[in-house]
Amino acid sequence: MNLNLLKEKIENHIARIAVIGMGYVGFPLALTLADVGFDVVGVDVKEERVRSINKSENPIGGVEPDLQDLLDRTVQAGTFHATIDYEDIKDREIVFINVETPIDEYNKPNYTALRSALRSLGKVLLDGALVIIESTIAPGTMQKVVLPELMKSSKGTLNKNFYLGNCPERVMPGKLLKNIRTMDRVVGGADEETSHTMALLYQQFVDAELDEVDWITAELVKTVENTYRDVQIAFANEVALLCEELGADVWRVRELVNKTPFRDLHKPGAGVGGHCIPKDPWLLANSVSNKKELRLIPTARVINDAMPRHMFDMLKVGLQRAGQELSTAKILILGYAYLENSDDDRNSPTADLVEIMEDNSINYRIHDPHIDVYKGDVYQMVDGCDALVVMTAHQEYVRLDLEMVLQAMRTKVIIDGRAVFKDRVISSDLLYYTIGIGA
Ligand code: SAJ
């Protein structure tokens, strides 16, 4: 099939679509495409996840407006279903790939899931299909990994047997569906004709600008936009450490700095988690061989990764000042998710803090209102504790009755990694430390 025929099918919403990877990105994408009238098949390797999706059970946790309703609607309408069998997508004219692309312990890209999806897809790929990679990949990966894998598994040729593009996702937990429909997208086709076709496809469900580029530009835009954020957060964290040393309040400094035009000092915090920000700088840095020239990007990662340790150091100071031995202290950690009001715990800074606690044989417990294993009554869990360590700014903590919490505590130390309580009236016998305020 040539792209003209595919374009017609796209405009009439009769192009048959598959989305590989039913996670935070692929699942809402599949529902959105089905909601605008396409027939969509979702593919995932997790049989349990496929089964629950087909029973209209939403696999994505956290606060995601409208996701469940959309799932109910599309499953009932029969325009969307999930499968583990690649045979079920051999008739698909458009295939999105939204699988995980993590980094390994050496900060190198791990493309196991991506290669596996490409190998399985290639065996069943419909002649003339358009394949779009939405996973975040290091610049150069389309040329050096995706194309060779797909040519090998499909025994086909680019722009003859299949068309290939990269359109990096821009979802954010808590606003998955909204972002899919409203964020500008970069559509990187192997050639202009493919980019045009991709733009036409995204026009069917995206109400924003679609910028047509080549592969390397699409790969760079995604990794650079997240590396920008990581470097900005690292700068905020370093300013916070300065303020602590100087006895200043970084939050007041930040407020006034950001009154200056073109300044956007980010928020210092207990660490940088998630599936994007800690990973994408390494994908970017690994796209070039002479990495020794890259100093800012790796250093920003080191600064941000050191913040959980800084939380532990503040805890030690607080307990010492309170005259409470670390070895006999009882600690309650508030927040395991990497982001407020989300259940997403990927690359959670709290996991790093917990490792340090374990290494020091500290008696700790974890609370998180969005993660089943850590759910509980904070007012009960804090009973007899010596310190609270706030790692995530969940709404539940913002609304916490601090006086009640303090009454239940044995020693009254709060280490606040997200400045959740900094503007609250704090009783006199409390030792309160927050990121970026000298104590
Ligand atoms: N964080 C800080 N200080 C800040 C901002 C964030 O410490 O000023 C921490 C957060 O607590 C979290 C981590 O960084 O642990 C990441 O937070 P995030 O707000 O960047 O959330 P993510 O990981 O969901 O990032 C996504 C990214 N979106 C995509 O990759 C499509 C990112 O580009 C967005 O800027 C971000 O959402 C967003 O703005 O919500």
mmCIF file of all heavy atoms in Angstrom, residues 133-161:
data_model
loop_
_atom_site.group_PDB
_atom_site.id
_atom_site.type_symbol
_atom_site.label_atom_id
_atom_site.label_comp_id
_atom_site.label_asym_id
_atom_site.label_seq_id
_atom_site.Cartn_x
_atom_site.Cartn_y
_atom_site.Cartn_z
ATOM 1 N N ILE A 133 7.390 4.910 16.357
ATOM 2 C CA ILE A 133 7.994 4.683 17.679
ATOM 3 C C ILE A 133 7.680 5.900 18.541
ATOM 4 O O ILE A 133 8.093 7.018 18.218
ATOM 5 C CB ILE A 133 9.528 4.519 17.574
ATOM 6 C CG1 ILE A 133 9.908 3.490 16.513
ATOM 7 C CG2 ILE A 133 10.117 4.181 18.947
ATOM 8 C CD1 ILE A 133 9.433 2.083 16.766
ATOM 9 N N GLU A 134 6.946 5.693 19.648
ATOM 10 C CA GLU A 134 6.678 6.810 20.568
ATOM 11 C C GLU A 134 7.569 6.708 21.811
ATOM 12 O O GLU A 134 7.686 7.664 22.572
ATOM 13 C CB GLU A 134 5.199 6.829 20.974
ATOM 14 C CG GLU A 134 4.269 7.323 19.891
ATOM 15 C CD GLU A 134 2.975 7.934 20.463
ATOM 16 O OE1 GLU A 134 2.669 7.683 21.641
ATOM 17 O OE2 GLU A 134 2.300 8.673 19.729
ATOM 18 N N SER A 135 8.192 5.568 22.012
ATOM 19 C CA SER A 135 9.088 5.429 23.171
ATOM 20 C C SER A 135 10.222 6.445 23.067
ATOM 21 O O SER A 135 10.662 6.784 21.951
ATOM 22 C CB SER A 135 9.696 4.020 23.201
ATOM 23 O OG SER A 135 8.675 3.047 23.215
ATOM 24 N N THR A 136 10.738 6.869 24.199
ATOM 25 C CA THR A 136 11.872 7.803 24.190
ATOM 26 C C THR A 136 13.154 7.029 23.900
ATOM 27 O O THR A 136 13.437 6.034 24.562
ATOM 28 C CB THR A 136 11.989 8.494 25.558
ATOM 29 O OG1 THR A 136 10.741 9.142 25.835
ATOM 30 C CG2 THR A 136 13.101 9.516 25.568
ATOM 31 N N ILE A 137 13.909 7.497 22.912
ATOM 32 C CA ILE A 137 15.118 6.772 22.502
ATOM 33 C C ILE A 137 16.285 7.751 22.331
ATOM 34 O O ILE A 137 16.076 8.941 22.060
ATOM 35 C CB ILE A 137 14.870 6.027 21.163
ATOM 36 C CG1 ILE A 137 14.241 6.951 20.126
ATOM 37 C CG2 ILE A 137 14.035 4.768 21.396
ATOM 38 C CD1 ILE A 137 13.922 6.295 18.792
ATOM 39 N N ALA A 138 17.481 7.239 22.493
ATOM 40 C CA ALA A 138 18.671 8.086 22.341
ATOM 41 C C ALA A 138 18.762 8.552 20.892
ATOM 42 O O ALA A 138 18.457 7.776 19.973
ATOM 43 C CB ALA A 138 19.920 7.292 22.710
ATOM 44 N N PRO A 139 19.158 9.791 20.672
ATOM 45 C CA PRO A 139 19.356 10.261 19.293
ATOM 46 C C PRO A 139 20.246 9.296 18.515
ATOM 47 O O PRO A 139 21.283 8.874 19.000
ATOM 48 C CB PRO A 139 20.027 11.623 19.502
ATOM 49 C CG PRO A 139 19.477 12.101 20.815
ATOM 50 C CD PRO A 139 19.374 10.864 21.659
ATOM 51 N N GLY A 140 19.765 8.908 17.330
ATOM 52 C CA GLY A 140 20.506 7.966 16.491
ATOM 53 C C GLY A 140 19.924 6.567 16.518
ATOM 54 O O GLY A 140 20.255 5.709 15.701
ATOM 55 N N THR A 141 19.005 6.309 17.471
ATOM 56 C CA THR A 141 18.470 4.949 17.649
ATOM 57 C C THR A 141 17.582 4.513 16.478
ATOM 58 O O THR A 141 17.578 3.346 16.091
ATOM 59 C CB THR A 141 17.692 4.878 18.969
ATOM 60 O OG1 THR A 141 18.567 5.213 20.042
ATOM 61 C CG2 THR A 141 17.109 3.503 19.211
ATOM 62 N N MET A 142 16.836 5.434 15.891
ATOM 63 C CA MET A 142 15.964 5.057 14.749
ATOM 64 C C MET A 142 16.828 4.451 13.645
ATOM 65 O O MET A 142 16.522 3.401 13.092
ATOM 66 C CB MET A 142 15.212 6.285 14.220
ATOM 67 C CG MET A 142 14.111 6.799 15.126
ATOM 68 S SD MET A 142 12.774 5.614 15.396
ATOM 69 C CE MET A 142 11.981 5.633 13.783
ATOM 70 N N GLN A 143 17.955 5.122 13.375
ATOM 71 C CA GLN A 143 18.837 4.709 12.284
ATOM 72 C C GLN A 143 19.622 3.446 12.642
ATOM 73 O O GLN A 143 19.782 2.543 11.807
ATOM 74 C CB GLN A 143 19.832 5.852 11.969
ATOM 75 C CG GLN A 143 20.596 5.692 10.656
ATOM 76 C CD GLN A 143 19.678 5.686 9.425
ATOM 77 O OE1 GLN A 143 18.823 6.557 9.287
ATOM 78 N NE2 GLN A 143 19.836 4.704 8.566
ATOM 79 N N LYS A 144 20.066 3.394 13.900
ATOM 80 C CA LYS A 144 21.035 2.338 14.244
ATOM 81 C C LYS A 144 20.414 1.101 14.878
ATOM 82 O O LYS A 144 21.025 0.043 14.948
ATOM 83 C CB LYS A 144 22.107 2.916 15.197
ATOM 84 C CG LYS A 144 23.029 3.925 14.522
ATOM 85 C CD LYS A 144 24.161 4.379 15.450
ATOM 86 C CE LYS A 144 23.696 5.412 16.435
ATOM 87 N NZ LYS A 144 24.793 6.016 17.236
ATOM 88 N N VAL A 145 19.182 1.254 15.407
ATOM 89 C CA VAL A 145 18.562 0.104 16.091
ATOM 90 C C VAL A 145 17.220 -0.259 15.463
ATOM 91 O O VAL A 145 17.009 -1.379 15.013
ATOM 92 C CB VAL A 145 18.369 0.401 17.599
ATOM 93 C CG1 VAL A 145 17.598 -0.730 18.281
ATOM 94 C CG2 VAL A 145 19.709 0.653 18.275
ATOM 95 N N VAL A 146 16.315 0.724 15.391
ATOM 96 C CA VAL A 146 14.938 0.430 14.969
ATOM 97 C C VAL A 146 14.895 -0.050 13.519
ATOM 98 O O VAL A 146 14.327 -1.111 13.211
ATOM 99 C CB VAL A 146 14.042 1.666 15.164
ATOM 100 C CG1 VAL A 146 12.635 1.417 14.635
ATOM 101 C CG2 VAL A 146 13.979 2.051 16.641
ATOM 102 N N LEU A 147 15.507 0.719 12.621
ATOM 103 C CA LEU A 147 15.439 0.353 11.193
ATOM 104 C C LEU A 147 16.062 -1.017 10.916
ATOM 105 O O LEU A 147 15.404 -1.890 10.340
ATOM 106 C CB LEU A 147 16.095 1.444 10.333
ATOM 107 C CG LEU A 147 16.130 1.171 8.830
ATOM 108 C CD1 LEU A 147 14.711 0.961 8.283
ATOM 109 C CD2 LEU A 147 16.822 2.316 8.074
ATOM 110 N N PRO A 148 17.281 -1.269 11.406
ATOM 111 C CA PRO A 148 17.871 -2.596 11.141
ATOM 112 C C PRO A 148 17.040 -3.740 11.722
ATOM 113 O O PRO A 148 16.844 -4.768 11.080
ATOM 114 C CB PRO A 148 19.243 -2.517 11.816
ATOM 115 C CG PRO A 148 19.533 -1.086 12.035
ATOM 116 C CD PRO A 148 18.238 -0.375 12.103
ATOM 117 N N GLU A 149 16.513 -3.546 12.939
ATOM 118 C CA GLU A 149 15.716 -4.622 13.562
ATOM 119 C C GLU A 149 14.468 -4.915 12.729
ATOM 120 O O GLU A 149 14.115 -6.079 12.488
ATOM 121 C CB GLU A 149 15.279 -4.207 14.977
ATOM 122 C CG GLU A 149 16.352 -4.310 16.045
ATOM 123 C CD GLU A 149 16.671 -5.757 16.444
ATOM 124 O OE1 GLU A 149 16.094 -6.700 15.874
ATOM 125 O OE2 GLU A 149 17.500 -5.929 17.347
ATOM 126 N N LEU A 150 13.812 -3.845 12.277
ATOM 127 C CA LEU A 150 12.545 -4.043 11.551
ATOM 128 C C LEU A 150 12.800 -4.623 10.151
ATOM 129 O O LEU A 150 12.057 -5.480 9.677
ATOM 130 C CB LEU A 150 11.784 -2.719 11.460
ATOM 131 C CG LEU A 150 10.281 -2.811 11.172
ATOM 132 C CD1 LEU A 150 9.578 -3.758 12.152
ATOM 133 C CD2 LEU A 150 9.635 -1.432 11.215
ATOM 134 N N MET A 151 13.895 -4.179 9.529
ATOM 135 C CA MET A 151 14.214 -4.744 8.199
ATOM 136 C C MET A 151 14.509 -6.225 8.330
ATOM 137 O O MET A 151 14.050 -7.043 7.534
ATOM 138 C CB MET A 151 15.419 -3.998 7.600
ATOM 139 C CG MET A 151 15.064 -2.618 7.066
ATOM 140 S SD MET A 151 16.503 -1.702 6.470
ATOM 141 C CE MET A 151 16.926 -2.650 5.007
ATOM 142 N N LYS A 152 15.230 -6.568 9.407
ATOM 143 C CA LYS A 152 15.627 -7.978 9.584
ATOM 144 C C LYS A 152 14.403 -8.849 9.892
ATOM 145 O O LYS A 152 14.180 -9.894 9.274
ATOM 146 C CB LYS A 152 16.647 -8.067 10.737
ATOM 147 C CG LYS A 152 17.255 -9.439 10.929
ATOM 148 C CD LYS A 152 18.416 -9.362 11.908
ATOM 149 C CE LYS A 152 18.898 -10.765 12.326
ATOM 150 N NZ LYS A 152 19.099 -10.858 13.794
ATOM 151 N N SER A 153 13.567 -8.385 10.808
ATOM 152 C CA SER A 153 12.437 -9.248 11.241
ATOM 153 C C SER A 153 11.320 -9.294 10.193
ATOM 154 O O SER A 153 10.592 -10.271 10.089
ATOM 155 C CB SER A 153 11.878 -8.736 12.574
ATOM 156 O OG SER A 153 11.416 -7.392 12.426
ATOM 157 N N SER A 154 11.195 -8.235 9.418
ATOM 158 C CA SER A 154 10.103 -8.233 8.414
ATOM 159 C C SER A 154 10.606 -8.645 7.033
ATOM 160 O O SER A 154 9.811 -8.877 6.127
ATOM 161 C CB SER A 154 9.502 -6.828 8.316
ATOM 162 O OG SER A 154 10.460 -5.940 7.708
ATOM 163 N N LYS A 155 11.944 -8.697 6.907
ATOM 164 C CA LYS A 155 12.557 -8.963 5.589
ATOM 165 C C LYS A 155 12.077 -7.946 4.540
ATOM 166 O O LYS A 155 12.004 -8.233 3.351
ATOM 167 C CB LYS A 155 12.274 -10.401 5.121
ATOM 168 C CG LYS A 155 12.844 -11.486 6.061
ATOM 169 C CD LYS A 155 12.594 -12.895 5.530
ATOM 170 C CE LYS A 155 13.209 -13.955 6.448
ATOM 171 N NZ LYS A 155 12.758 -13.798 7.863
ATOM 172 N N GLY A 156 11.713 -6.778 5.053
ATOM 173 C CA GLY A 156 11.209 -5.739 4.154
ATOM 174 C C GLY A 156 12.195 -4.587 4.002
ATOM 175 O O GLY A 156 13.238 -4.580 4.648
ATOM 176 N N THR A 157 11.785 -3.644 3.178
ATOM 177 C CA THR A 157 12.628 -2.469 2.908
ATOM 178 C C THR A 157 11.881 -1.199 3.278
ATOM 179 O O THR A 157 10.648 -1.108 3.025
ATOM 180 C CB THR A 157 12.979 -2.433 1.397
ATOM 181 O OG1 THR A 157 13.489 -3.703 1.026
ATOM 182 C CG2 THR A 157 13.986 -1.334 1.092
ATOM 183 N N LEU A 158 12.632 -0.261 3.854
ATOM 184 C CA LEU A 158 12.028 1.030 4.240
ATOM 185 C C LEU A 158 11.461 1.735 3.006
ATOM 186 O O LEU A 158 12.044 1.724 1.941
ATOM 187 C CB LEU A 158 13.096 1.915 4.895
ATOM 188 C CG LEU A 158 12.668 3.319 5.314
ATOM 189 C CD1 LEU A 158 11.652 3.264 6.457
ATOM 190 C CD2 LEU A 158 13.887 4.164 5.718
ATOM 191 N N ASN A 159 10.272 2.341 3.227
ATOM 192 C CA ASN A 159 9.572 3.129 2.196
ATOM 193 C C ASN A 159 9.145 2.283 1.002
ATOM 194 O O ASN A 159 8.748 2.824 -0.027
ATOM 195 C CB ASN A 159 10.448 4.296 1.701
ATOM 196 C CG ASN A 159 10.643 5.330 2.814
ATOM 197 O OD1 ASN A 159 9.852 5.373 3.756
ATOM 198 N ND2 ASN A 159 11.695 6.113 2.715
ATOM 199 N N LYS A 160 9.218 0.957 1.182
ATOM 200 C CA LYS A 160 8.675 0.062 0.154
ATOM 201 C C LYS A 160 7.695 -0.898 0.821
ATOM 202 O O LYS A 160 6.508 -0.904 0.533
ATOM 203 C CB LYS A 160 9.824 -0.696 -0.543
ATOM 204 C CG LYS A 160 9.362 -1.579 -1.703
ATOM 205 C CD LYS A 160 10.569 -2.165 -2.452
ATOM 206 C CE LYS A 160 10.126 -3.132 -3.534
ATOM 207 N NZ LYS A 160 9.391 -4.312 -2.932
ATOM 208 N N ASN A 161 8.224 -1.648 1.800
ATOM 209 C CA ASN A 161 7.368 -2.597 2.506
ATOM 210 C C ASN A 161 6.801 -2.023 3.805
ATOM 211 O O ASN A 161 5.817 -2.537 4.345
ATOM 212 C CB ASN A 161 8.150 -3.879 2.822
ATOM 213 C CG ASN A 161 8.745 -4.460 1.543
ATOM 214 O OD1 ASN A 161 9.937 -4.287 1.265
ATOM 215 N ND2 ASN A 161 7.899 -5.099 0.742
#
